Amino acid sequence: MRLRTSLAAVGVAAALVLTGCAGGSGNDDGSAGAALTIAKPDGAITTESHNPYLGDSSASKYGYAKVIFEPLALVNPTGDLGTTPWLAESVEWNDDYTELTVVPRADVTWSDGEDFTADDIVFTFNMYIDGTLNDTSALNLESATSDGDAVILKFAESKYTAQARVLHTPIVPEHIWENIDDPNTDPLTDEGAAVGTGPYVLDSWTTESVNLTANPDYWGGELQVPELHYVSYGDNAALTTALVSEEADWAQAFIPQIQDSFLAADDANQFLASPTAGAGTLFMNLQTKPFNDPALRQAIAWTVDRQAYVDVAREGASTPIWSVTGLGDLLADEIDAEYEGAVYSVDTDKAKQILTEAGYTWKDEKLIDPDGEAVSFSISVPAGWSDWNTEQALIAEELGEGLGIDVKVDQPDWGGWDAARQEGTFDMIIHWLEDTGNAYGLYTSTMDPKWIVDGKAQFNFGRYDNPAVTEALNTYANTSSDEERAAAVAVMEKAFATDVPAIPLGSHPLLGEFNTRNYVGWPSEEDQYASADPTQPAVVQILTKLKPAE
């Protein structure tokens, strides 16, 4: 589907220019105009780098790049999955998504006072074309040119499934970046180098805190929040303490027992889990016993309790996925008519029937495969991933009691787990999906052989390979016909429901903890105009909507 751009979405950005309110006082005494402290649980901020293109820069890791450097548009990964033009007045794709027409927003200036123009957009994307900047997002641009008031971006292949990657590219000023020798390594720490169009400008940087102040000439109008302080704590426990003690105001983290540890401490404390098209998913190694048998995979799909995953492991911060297609509620409009209402449930009788018909038996209440061997495997998640560690225990219990399978819980360090998932030496793991905002994300993540390179997997960890599905994936991603795309997704759904290459458990949400002591206007369950995750591109949208609490 085309990422939706509603009139209301377009109006959000336009309204910012027309209705900017007076800024706050900058006091930290709980009055209007208080600073916001944005926190992460990732340890000390050790190396200064403000480069928005480097994934390991402090600006990227802690999120403040998003309020300095802005994208052309904001793609909402939750709610209506809509697109809000941002630095662009409008964005429009051609029918096959190989060409994007961008009309830049007028009367925008860089934070150093220089005018923002179409040339800055062309320059930004040309850095990928001429190899000055590594194309880590696989944009595969062919040309970036200006045409009157518009910029035309042409791509080597369809970007239907990667619209957000294109639209979220940080736009940088040509007059600064044309003098940078290597934008792949430059930390952007020289005086006056961290210049953007965003609502905030860099004020100071230390290993304890990064401070930003409101951009007085921001195109979106005056801001109610005068300062942002970015800090990082050693772990989730320390972060939770900071949130409860009012040291920190806004965070993105999974907090165990969040009701008791955070929400109950103050009525102003809020938590929003925003479902996305991605999902926490069971991946099985389809190349070896016992998961090379689709009957066993089907039986497991009828035994695992997705609601328990949501209620117990995720403590409510998710929504269950029961459709046999693997698609969650946000993508219900892509479920083929053949599978509307076709859902799993916890039905061990049905699971046992499937196994019996496939030649399985039981001895001393243990499941025995058709070769006469007891069925046993391990489920692996890194130690310390508390939500998925809990789910490991739940699955071991469900499959042990329900089907007589001996499931061993494995909690290695990250390195061992990462090597096993890439090399295919695991039995079962819990992992996330590539979130493309449409059905393609699930099916490419679980069934697409393109992810296996030099024997190592970046997704499709089970190494599923079905030529008909591969063709359907390519059609879905590249066709300009909605009818062909619907036919392709029907092929993928049928294969997923029949072969069960993976088992989605529940939506993989974006999380946000914040308080309403000083500001209101945050995203909510009723108004998911963005997620409440301050590390996402839409942080700029949230900051322009916040108003002082009365």
Side-chain angles (χ1 to χ4, degrees):
M1 62 186 173
R2 184 185 299 267
L3 295 177
R4 295 181 280 272
T5 307
S6 66
L7 291 175
V10 175
V12 168
L16 296 176
V17 180
L18 300 174
T19 61
C21 301
S25 65
N27 297 324
D28 287 319
D29 59 2
S31 64
L36 279 180
T37 296
I38 300 173
K40 291 193 73 180
D42 297 341
I45 307 173
T46 56
T47 304
E48 182 178 8
S49 176
H50 313 306
N51 191 323
Y53 300 119
L54 304 184
D56 60 353
S57 71
S58 56
S60 295
K61 288 175 66 177
Y62 301 103
Y64 64 87
K66 301 291 195 304
V67 301
I68 298 175
F69 303 96
E70 295 184 300
L72 297 174
L74 301 172
V75 178
N76 188 359
T78 189
D80 65 357
L81 304 178
T83 298
T84 301
W86 203 252
L87 266 185
E89 292 279 1
S90 65
V91 292
E92 184 66 32
W93 293 94
N94 67 347
D95 288 343
D96 65 0
Y97 292 83
T98 58
E99 185 174 301
L100 177 67
T101 301
V102 177
V103 177
R105 189 172 295 282
D107 301 321
V108 175
T109 60
W110 296 100
S111 57
D112 63 359
E114 295 285 334
D115 288 339
F116 161 76
T117 70
D119 290 341
D120 294 304
I121 299 174
V122 171
F123 171 81
T124 295
F125 285 101
N126 270 330
M127 285 196 295
Y128 292 110
I129 296 172
D130 64 22
T132 303
L133 192 61
N134 292 336
D135 190 8
T136 56
S137 295
L139 300 182
N140 293 331
L141 270 159
E142 290 188 329
S143 66
T145 57
S146 58
D147 182 10
D149 293 333
V151 171
I152 311 297
L153 303 178
K154 295 183 179 180
F155 301 87
E157 72 283 311
S158 173
K159 292 299 158 186
Y160 180 80
T161 63
Q163 296 171 61
R165 289 188 184 185
V166 176
L167 296 173
H168 286 168
T169 299
I171 305 301
V172 295
E174 179 178 12
H175 68 278
I176 299 290
W177 285 70
E178 65 183 354
N179 299 314
I180 295 176
D181 290 335
D182 186 357
N184 298 297
T185 60
D186 195 296
L188 221 66
T189 53
D190 290 344
E191 184 71 25
V195 170
T197 59
Y200 291 84
V201 295
L202 185 66
D203 180 56
S204 64
W205 191 99
T206 70
T207 55
E208 287 76 36
S209 176
V210 183
N211 299 323
L212 296 95
T213 56
N215 180 353
D217 299 315
Y218 184 52
W219 62 266
E222 295 182 56
L223 298 146
Q224 294 294 302
V225 183
E227 297 178 18
L228 302 178
H229 302 160
Y230 284 81
V231 299
S232 185
Y233 295 88
D235 53 32
N236 277 352
L239 174 61
T240 304
T241 298
L243 288 167
V244 171
S245 65
E246 302 181 24
E247 280 185 13
D249 299 297
W250 192 3
Q252 172 269 320
F254 179 79
I255 298 178
Q257 291 84 51
I258 192 168
Q259 178 62 45
D260 294 334
S261 62
F262 174 63
L263 296 176
D266 190 324
D267 288 343
N269 290 346
Q270 303 291 315
F271 169 60
L272 181 64
S274 300
T276 68
T281 299
L282 286 177
F283 281 85
M284 299 159 283
N285 190 337
L286 311 184
Q287 305 306 305
T288 62
K289 290 182 65 175
F291 296 117
N292 58 351
D293 183 359
L296 179 69
R297 305 196 298 264
Q298 291 167 4
I300 292 173
W302 283 100
T303 305
V304 172
D305 189 345
R306 282 75 156 178
Q307 193 62 53
Y309 169 77
V310 170
D311 294 340
V312 181
R314 295 292 304 173
E315 299 184 25
S318 183
T319 53
I321 296 176
W322 291 104
S323 172
V324 299
T325 67
L327 299 178
D329 293 343
L330 285 181
L331 301 177
D333 61 350
E334 291 202 70
I335 295 177
D336 187 70
E338 179 180 355
Y339 292 106
E340 287 183 5
V343 296
Y344 290 112
S345 62
V346 178
D347 190 340
T348 54
D349 289 339
K350 184 176 183 66
K352 287 180 177 179
Q353 179 183 352
I354 291 170
L355 292 171
T356 299
E357 292 175 354
Y360 289 78
T361 58
W362 281 263
K363 182 178 180 180
D364 298 328
E365 298 185 345
K366 300 296 184 183
L367 182 63
I368 307 299
D369 70 19
D371 296 327
E373 298 176 350
V375 177
S376 177
F377 58 82
S378 64
I379 178 171
S380 182
V381 171
W385 291 16
S386 56
D387 51 343
W388 285 355
N389 292 153
T390 298
E391 180 61 14
Q392 287 177 287
L394 288 173
I395 289 172
E397 180 179 342
E398 291 162 0
L399 298 183
E401 293 182 357
L403 299 180
I405 299 174
D406 178 24
V407 181
K408 299 177 178 63
V409 171
D410 179 34
Q411 296 182 1
D413 61 20
W414 161 265
W417 182 78
D418 179 46
R421 67 172 178 157
Q422 291 191 53
E423 296 165 6
T425 57
F426 66 93
D427 291 337
M428 176 187 279
I429 60 173
I430 307 176
H431 202 278
W432 54 90
L433 302 175
E434 175 88 343
D435 181 7
T436 60
N438 46 44
Y440 182 85
L442 166 64
Y443 298 131
T444 187
S445 297
T446 57
M447 300 192 292
D448 198 337
K450 78 174 185 181
W451 295 106
I452 317 300
V453 180
D454 295 330
K456 294 188 175 182
Q458 297 304 310
F459 279 105
N460 187 17
F461 304 107
R463 288 167 164 77
Y464 182 90
D465 192 353
N466 179 330
V469 171
T470 302
E471 181 181 356
L473 282 162
N474 291 334
T475 297
Y476 186 99
N478 292 290
T479 185
S480 59
S481 164
D482 290 339
E483 291 76 15
E484 288 184 3
R485 189 170 287 114
V489 82
V491 171
M492 294 184 279
E493 290 176 6
K494 185 175 184 64
F496 196 88
T498 302
D499 295 341
V500 194
I503 303 174
L505 300 169
S507 62
H508 195 57
L510 294 169
L511 308 178
E513 294 88 13
F514 54 92
N515 66 70
T516 56
R517 283 185 290 273
N518 299 322
Y519 296 102
V520 296
W522 302 89
S524 64
E525 290 185 3
E526 294 75 26
D527 184 10
Q528 296 257 13
Y529 68 84
S531 79
D533 181 344
T535 69
Q536 296 296 307
V539 62
V540 291
Q541 188 176 13
I542 296 171
L543 287 164
T544 54
K545 290 176 73 72
L546 293 183
K547 299 182 294 184
E550 295 181 357

